[in-house]
Amino acid sequence: MKSITLYLVVAGATYFNQLDRFQGWSGTPLTVAGVQASAAVGQQLADTPFEASFASDTSRAVQTAQLILNAQPQAVKLQTLSALRAPFYGGFEGTERAAVWSGFATKLGYPSVPDFAADQTPSELQTLLHDHDADGLAESGTEFWTRYQGGLQEVVAATRDQGTALLVVDSATMRMIRYLATGSMATREEIAPSAVAVVTYTGDKFTLQASH
């Protein structure tokens, strides 16, 4: 069975990150700090030769990937796939995350947002947004992951067996992959902008090798 190594890097910080807004298919450019951090990740990974690189077609993902690839000794072509986008938040796009999660925690009877979040899987969190989106546009957890797996299959097909590739992801995607690999919810630091994790992907199984 084909197996590849993926260097997952969360897209650099944007103005929506700075303002704590939902950004799935929408978004804003990287901040100055986001640019600097992405370039620093590139230097950190400069000695890791990527045979392929992938990102969604959002500007933040493309900008992050290009800043990382600039540090590679050999040119690596970036492949962008719309299937690799973050979850679509529908009517929640651009809204304040803290207020939404606080509202869910209160509605569901949790004493705090951390207590609420600790009791949900990544898929359940996304499905809550789907179920409460007045516009009826947000993806459910299952819809998101089915779409994203389609993108991953394209990544696998374009990377040789035992090969190493860069994959720029969003925080929600990193949360999902780390959960699938470990069975545990990621910490805030593990899914923060510019966070790095190394996984092997064999079949449809992730194995966490390292994180930075």
Side-chain angles (χ1 to χ4, degrees), residues 138-211:
E139 290 179 303
S140 69
T142 299
E143 289 169 340
F144 159 62
W145 192 242
T146 298
R147 168 176 60 78
Y148 199 86
Q149 281 184 304
L152 285 173
Q153 290 310 306
E154 293 190 58
V155 169
V156 171
T159 307
R160 70 172 180 86
D161 189 25
Q162 305 301 316
T164 300
L166 169 69
L167 176 56
V168 176
V169 299
D170 282 271
S171 292
T173 307
M174 180 72 94
R175 180 190 292 115
M176 175 70 85
I177 292 176
R178 290 189 71 107
Y179 182 80
L180 292 172
T182 67
S184 300
M185 288 294 279
T187 64
R188 182 176 300 227
E189 292 74 18
E190 289 169 340
I191 61 172
S194 301
V196 180
V198 184
V199 300
T200 54
Y201 187 52
T202 307
D204 61 354
K205 182 180 179 181
F206 293 99
T207 303
L208 181 65
Q209 301 294 340
S211 58

Side-chain angles (χ1 to χ4, degrees), residues 19 31 41 49 52 58 62-63 67 95 106 112 117 146 153 209 212:
L19 297 169
T31 62
V41 171
T58 59
V62 171
Q63 191 176 4
L67 287 163
T95 61
T106 300
S112 68
T146 298
Q153 290 310 306
Q209 301 294 340
H212 308 274

Side-chain angles (χ1 to χ4, degrees), residues 16 21-27 56-58 60 84-90 92-94 139 147 170 172:
F16 267 10
R21 306 282 174 163
F22 281 102
Q23 59 174 355
W25 292 10
S26 63
S56 76
D57 56 354
T58 59
R60 63 185 180 275
L84 296 177
R85 290 179 185 175
F88 185 36
Y89 298 121
F92 290 104
E93 292 275 350
E139 290 179 303
R147 168 176 60 78
D170 282 271

Side-chain angles (χ1 to χ4, degrees), residues 4 14 18 45 51 109 119 121 126 136 138 146 150 159 175 191 195 204:
I4 63 175
T14 68
Q18 187 171 313
L45 301 179
E51 301 165 37
D119 204 28
T121 67
Q126 182 61 33
T146 298
T159 307
R175 180 190 292 115
I191 61 172
D204 61 354

